[in-house]
Amino acid sequence: MKTVTCTAPVNIAVIKYWGKRDENLILPVNSSLSATLGQNELRAKTTVAVDPSFTEDKMWLNDKEQSVNTQRIQNVFREIRRRARKRKGDGDKSKIFSQKIHICSENNFPTAAGLASSAAGYACLVYSLAKLFDVDGEISDIARQGSGSACRSIYGGFVEWQMGTKADGSDSFAKQITPAQHWPEMCILILVVSDQKKHTGSTEGMQTSVQNSRLLEKRIEVVPERMTNITKAIKEKDFHTFAEITMKDSNQFHAICLDTYPPISYMTDVSRQIVRFVHSFNNHSGETKVAYTFDAGPNACLYLLEKDLGRVISLVNHFFPAQDNGLNLKVQGLPVSIDKPSQKDIDALSLPVLPNSIKYLINTKVGEGPQILSDPSESLLTDNGHPKTLSS
Amino acid sequence: MKTVTCTAPVNIAVIKYWGKRDENLILPVNSSLSATLGQNELRAKTTVAVDPSFTEDKMWLNDKEQSVNTQRIQNVFREIRRRARKRKGDGDKSKIFSQKIHICSENNFPTAAGLASSAAGYACLVYSLAKLFDVDGEISDIARQGSGSACRSIYGGFVEWQMGTKADGSDSFAKQITPAQHWPEMCILILVVSDQKKHTGSTEGMQTSVQNSRLLEKRIEVVPERMTNITKAIKEKDFHTFAEITMKDSNQFHAICLDTYPPISYMTDVSRQIVRFVHSFNNHSGETKVAYTFDAGPNACLYLLEKDLGRVISLVNHFFPAQDNGLNLKVQGLPVSIDKPSQKDIDALSLPVLPNSIKYLINTKVGEGPQILSDPSESLLTDNGHPKTLSS
């Protein structure tokens, strides 16, 4: 049995991807840009294996067997095998391509967190299969065909997804803008909002937006300028410009959702209170110290610099406390102490206190791209190709 | 003492006014369209008087004296007096124009309801002054200079505010599309949402949108087509088209607010649940039977036909009950009985029940324009020109 185990990161967009021009190839109507998050906090882990004894392709995701007969999985399989064959030359007779594949994947964070796990998952699947089949070169365009934003999780640091213009999608792939180490002061704080009811799926939602949001036509004109400016800001570590564009683009994405018919609402009253908190804190600080961005759910992702992290967390803990009982919010990820905020800060923000509105925090940073785990003990599959967690 | 007492209606826009191209003259960036509401349910009442004994212009609003030295009030006074003089000819020496004015105004609905009262108030002031000074002809452009949407309250029925193109605003006034009696089946149900915290003022809010919402540029292109189509729908009593445009334009207006930086949020989780209720009810009904529209606050205004009113109110009362104690929501305005909804409807909508989220309902219809009250007992001022409510 030939096997490979890898991990891949989650990414959070600061210029949002919303709308496809090709549903099958997953080609977007605008370019997007994201930060890749640290994998100690948030990652997908996948083991892929091929063996002559396997009778069919099989996949287990978070201990549940899933069908591989979806268009997206099959597109990924087809493309990986095609490139592997091509690389080995037409004459190659390697049996490996005819062997069935077993896939086992899991996330180190609860799906209930409402964090986009498909990006990390498909990036990890494609990266693992590429290693398994010795496929070199650009593979983010293969990940893109599994889940659009997955292409950005193929690289670490700040990453752009160039929308491309070709009908076959060959120029629609991800590209690293700056490596993970470029901006070490940058912190990413995720506020997991308690209310996690089922939301409109992003695939369905963006389809409807493309069909009937009149304002999306304008957004498509606006994004290129934002891509240029935020890329420059990231390269120059210009936090103010980075933060303003990030917040404006998050707001515009949710505006497009609202302009869709029927309207789509991902943000809740708690999300909006976090927005007010950030603007109030920035006004009080006399400069833009924190940026928020929201994906297809109520959770907030805050970008801020290390020097402000302690002060911001203490204020988040004050205005969005876990309970009325005075216990601190739980923080997952990088260690951070929650101190008592200054009365001056509390008075200046003058916001209501909303207990039980935030479930917990995830404290992370910009991180690396997918990793290979060579230690056999890391494999999620037994020697006979079944999930360790399901074997006894 | 010469005195006039009038009432003027509230109007609710179905094509929203958001953004000025001239702050002083109050000239909008797009045309808008509204229904004038019945005055038994919602109206402003104003008494204006002039007398040689008055030493200064004075105004009382809802029993509180207000300064008349605001740009908007002064613009209205200047324009009314200018037209009155013009009408009487330059030779006219009437003392009336040099006499001071006393104004007393009140609304028959609580300001706490969060319903735009300035439109009714300025329409009533301008209409009353026009009668006092014998000004004939178009006066909606004067009301416009008090509060933009006030120009639409000068007429009954469905009314459009033509944005106009001239710099002096002389072609920016209201025009009746259909009289109050045109569509007698049309009902208007206002859901007054409990949470009534202070919101961003619309004057300030639309200023910021014009300054920095990129999507507003697109909205301005979209509105003319909507004006044409909804006007046709109203004239032909095509409820489906009327309702879809109404909902889409409300959503687009709130999308523009969200695309503004910092973002403006008027709708709350309750507002959004009302949106889901309407779409769910329409889907279940297999046709568009109800339309929602939201102004600069969380209250919902529902447009629907008489035949569906009882069923909709009973479902609103079920999913947004007054309390857990089973008492019905209070309904102000036109009498309507709240029956138990059918289990079939309840199951089909499958929505959560949100007690205490709606304070009360106002049940009304499309109504007439401003009215003169000739009975002296209707006057809000005593014979010496002071508010009756403040005199003893």
Side-chain angles (χ1 to χ4, degrees):
Chain A
M1 183 174 86
K2 188 180 182 198
T3 177
V4 174
T5 300
C6 299
T7 63
V10 168
N11 71 76
I12 303 267
V14 291
I15 301 292
K16 301 299 189 185
Y17 154 52
W18 194 254
K20 302 185 186 74
R21 65 180 197 275
D22 184 310
E23 290 288 335
N24 178 34
L25 291 171
I26 309 188
L27 302 176
V29 294
N30 61 264
S31 297
S32 55
L33 195 148
S34 58
T36 293
L37 305 191
Q39 290 180 59
N40 292 335
E41 292 72 49
L42 299 164
R43 56 134 186 83
K45 181 180 178 183
T46 303
T47 298
V48 292
V50 283
D51 189 83
S53 70
F54 295 168
T55 57
E56 55 178 336
D57 294 329
K58 275 177 169 292
M59 177 167 69
W60 295 268
L61 177 55
N62 295 324
D63 298 343
K64 289 190 187 55
E65 182 160 4
Q66 309 276 328
S67 167
V68 296
N69 296 317
T70 68
Q71 186 183 45
R72 291 177 168 208
I73 297 274
Q74 290 303 316
N75 285 353
V76 165
F77 283 3
R78 188 188 320 106
E79 191 58 22
I80 278 278
R81 286 183 162 125
R82 191 182 66 74
R83 295 198 195 182
R85 283 205 182 79
K86 193 167 148 198
R87 193 178 155 287
K88 303 212 186 260
D90 298 340
D92 178 82
K93 292 274 168 291
S94 165
K95 287 276 170 298
I96 193 171
F97 307 122
S98 57
Q99 292 175 15
K100 300 301 181 184
I101 305 172
H102 281 198
I103 299 159
C104 189
S105 188
E106 62 177 29
N107 303 324
N108 67 341
F109 56 94
T111 318
L115 298 161
S117 50
S118 62
Y122 273 104
C124 206
L125 172 64
V126 168
Y127 192 83
S128 307
L129 289 174
K131 297 301 169 194
L132 185 73
F133 292 136
D134 300 318
V135 171
D136 301 331
E138 187 59 54
I139 57 168
S140 68
D141 58 326
I142 309 177
R144 187 204 75 223
Q145 295 180 56
S147 173
S149 55
C151 71
R152 298 188 311 242
S153 280
I154 292 291
Y155 298 103
F158 281 95
V159 182
E160 76 173 306
W161 173 10
Q162 301 174 329
M163 64 176 289
T165 55
K166 295 182 182 171
D168 68 357
S170 56
D171 59 349
S172 184
F173 51 80
K175 182 162 154 286
Q176 184 181 69
I177 290 174
T178 55
Q181 305 75 13
H182 167 69
W183 202 344
E185 305 83 2
M186 181 69 82
C187 297
I188 298 160
L189 187 65
I190 299 170
L191 282 51
V192 179
V193 169
S194 299
D195 151 57
Q196 294 293 349
K197 62 174 84 78
K198 182 84 190 73
H199 304 285
T200 311
S202 56
T203 300
E204 175 199 354
M206 65 176 77
Q207 242 170 19
T208 316
S209 294
V210 168
Q211 283 160 16
N212 64 32
S213 168
R214 299 298 306 277
L215 299 182
L216 181 57
E217 304 162 23
K218 183 68 184 185
R219 168 163 172 73
I220 291 168
E221 297 172 23
V222 170
V223 169
E225 178 191 351
R226 287 185 173 172
M227 287 292 291
T228 306
N229 295 340
I230 202 167
T231 300
K232 182 167 178 290
I234 291 164
K235 287 179 174 169
E236 297 172 355
K237 300 206 232 172
D238 169 1
F239 186 83
H240 172 82
T241 303
F242 168 81
E244 278 215 342
I245 296 174
T246 294
M247 291 187 274
K248 285 178 177 176
D249 204 70
S250 176
N251 294 333
Q252 187 170 87
F253 152 53
H254 291 280
I256 296 301
C257 290
L258 188 46
D259 185 55
T260 300
Y261 187 81
I264 304 165
S265 303
Y266 290 122
M267 294 170 73
T268 65
D269 285 349
V270 173
S271 311
R272 268 175 296 282
Q273 197 56 32
I274 294 167
V275 166
R276 291 188 194 97
F277 167 84
V278 169
H279 284 290
S280 179
F281 179 78
N282 288 339
N283 289 341
H284 165 51
S285 305
E287 60 178 306
T288 308
K289 285 175 166 290
V290 184
Y292 54 77
T293 188
F294 296 83
D295 283 343
N299 296 335
C301 176
L302 305 186
Y303 285 85
L304 67 166
L305 298 177
E306 189 99 54
K307 62 181 171 59
D308 302 311
L309 182 63
R311 186 170 160 220
V312 168
I313 284 189
S314 68
L315 284 166
V316 167
N317 187 63
H318 174 84
F319 288 110
F320 304 92
Q323 311 276 353
D324 304 307
N325 61 14
L327 292 177
N328 282 340
L329 285 167
K330 289 200 175 50
V331 183
Q332 292 183 8
L334 301 172
V336 60
S337 69
I338 302 186
D339 308 324
K340 204 173 170 311
S342 76
Q343 194 58 44
K344 183 163 163 294
D345 281 349
I346 293 172
D347 297 343
L349 267 60
S350 67
L351 296 165
V353 171
L354 302 181
N356 303 313
S357 50
I358 291 179
K359 211 190 301 177
Y360 61 96
L361 309 178
I362 303 172
N363 182 31
T364 183
K365 288 199 154 208
V366 179
E368 302 289 348
Q371 307 290 322
I372 303 178
L373 304 179
S374 42
D375 179 346
S377 69
E378 293 283 1
S379 175
L380 298 174
L381 292 172
T382 60
D383 296 346
N384 57 14
H386 281 71
K388 288 178 176 176
T389 52
L390 301 180
S391 309
S392 52
Chain B
M1 183 175 87
K2 187 181 182 197
T3 177
V4 174
T5 299
C6 299
T7 63
V10 167
N11 72 77
I12 303 267
V14 291
I15 302 291
K16 301 299 189 186
Y17 153 52
W18 194 253
K20 303 185 186 73
R21 66 180 195 275
D22 184 310
E23 291 287 335
N24 178 34
L25 290 171
I26 308 187
L27 302 176
V29 295
N30 61 264
S31 296
S32 55
L33 195 148
S34 58
T36 293
L37 305 192
Q39 291 178 60
N40 292 334
E41 292 71 51
L42 299 164
R43 57 134 186 82
K45 181 180 177 182
T46 303
T47 298
V48 292
V50 283
D51 188 83
S53 70
F54 294 168
T55 56
E56 56 178 335
D57 294 329
K58 277 178 167 292
M59 177 167 70
W60 295 268
L61 176 56
N62 294 324
D63 297 343
K64 287 189 187 57
E65 181 159 7
Q66 309 275 329
S67 166
V68 295
N69 295 318
T70 69
Q71 186 183 45
R72 292 178 168 207
I73 297 273
Q74 291 302 317
N75 285 353
V76 165
F77 283 3
R78 188 188 321 107
E79 191 59 23
I80 278 278
R81 286 184 162 124
R82 191 182 67 76
R83 295 198 194 182
R85 284 203 182 80
K86 193 168 150 198
R87 192 178 155 286
K88 303 213 184 259
D90 298 338
D92 179 82
K93 292 273 168 291
S94 165
K95 287 275 172 297
I96 193 171
F97 307 123
S98 57
Q99 291 175 16
K100 300 301 181 183
I101 305 172
H102 280 198
I103 299 160
C104 189
S105 188
E106 63 176 31
N107 303 323
N108 67 341
F109 55 94
T111 317
L115 298 161
S117 50
S118 62
Y122 273 103
C124 206
L125 172 63
V126 168
Y127 192 84
S128 306
L129 290 174
K131 297 303 169 193
L132 186 73
F133 292 136
D134 300 318
V135 171
D136 301 333
E138 188 60 54
I139 58 168
S140 68
D141 58 326
I142 308 176
R144 188 203 77 224
Q145 296 179 56
S147 173
S149 55
C151 70
R152 297 187 311 243
S153 280
I154 292 292
Y155 298 103
F158 282 95
V159 181
E160 77 173 305
W161 173 11
Q162 300 174 330
M163 65 177 287
T165 56
K166 295 181 182 171
D168 68 357
S170 57
D171 59 348
S172 185
F173 50 80
K175 183 162 153 285
Q176 183 181 70
I177 290 174
T178 56
Q181 305 73 15
H182 167 70
W183 201 344
E185 305 83 2
M186 181 68 82
C187 297
I188 298 161
L189 187 65
I190 298 170
L191 282 51
V192 178
V193 169
S194 298
D195 152 57
Q196 294 293 348
K197 62 175 85 78
K198 181 85 189 75
H199 303 285
T200 311
S202 56
T203 301
E204 175 199 353
M206 65 176 75
Q207 241 168 21
T208 316
S209 294
V210 168
Q211 283 159 17
N212 64 32
S213 168
R214 300 297 307 276
L215 300 183
L216 181 56
E217 304 162 22
K218 183 67 184 187
R219 168 164 173 73
I220 291 167
E221 296 173 23
V222 170
V223 168
E225 177 191 352
R226 287 185 173 173
M227 286 292 290
T228 305
N229 295 340
I230 203 167
T231 300
K232 182 168 178 288
I234 291 164
K235 287 180 174 168
E236 297 172 355
K237 299 204 223 174
D238 168 1
F239 186 83
H240 172 82
T241 304
F242 167 80
E244 278 215 343
I245 296 173
T246 294
M247 291 187 274
K248 286 179 177 177
D249 204 70
S250 175
N251 294 332
Q252 186 170 87
F253 152 52
H254 291 280
I256 296 301
C257 291
L258 187 47
D259 185 55
T260 300
Y261 187 82
I264 303 165
S265 304
Y266 290 122
M267 294 169 72
T268 65
D269 285 350
V270 172
S271 311
R272 267 175 296 283
Q273 197 56 33
I274 294 166
V275 166
R276 292 188 193 98
F277 167 84
V278 169
H279 285 290
S280 179
F281 178 79
N282 288 339
N283 290 340
H284 165 50
S285 305
E287 60 177 305
T288 309
K289 285 174 166 291
V290 184
Y292 54 77
T293 188
F294 296 82
D295 283 342
N299 296 335
C301 176
L302 304 186
Y303 285 85
L304 68 165
L305 298 177
E306 188 100 55
K307 62 181 171 59
D308 301 311
L309 182 63
R311 186 170 160 220
V312 168
I313 283 189
S314 68
L315 284 166
V316 167
N317 187 62
H318 173 85
F319 288 111
F320 304 91
Q323 310 277 352
D324 304 307
N325 62 13
L327 292 177
N328 283 339
L329 285 167
K330 288 199 176 51
V331 184
Q332 293 183 8
L334 301 172
V336 59
S337 70
I338 301 185
D339 308 325
K340 205 175 169 311
S342 78
Q343 195 58 44
K344 182 163 165 295
D345 281 349
I346 293 171
D347 298 342
L349 268 59
S350 67
L351 296 165
V353 171
L354 303 181
N356 304 313
S357 50
I358 291 181
K359 211 190 300 176
Y360 61 96
L361 309 178
I362 302 172
N363 182 31
T364 184
K365 289 200 152 206
V366 180
E368 302 290 346
Q371 307 289 323
I372 303 180
L373 303 180
S374 43
D375 179 346
S377 71
E378 293 283 1
S379 174
L380 298 175
L381 293 171
T382 59
D383 296 346
N384 57 14
H386 282 71
K388 287 178 175 176
T389 52
L390 300 181
S391 311
S392 52

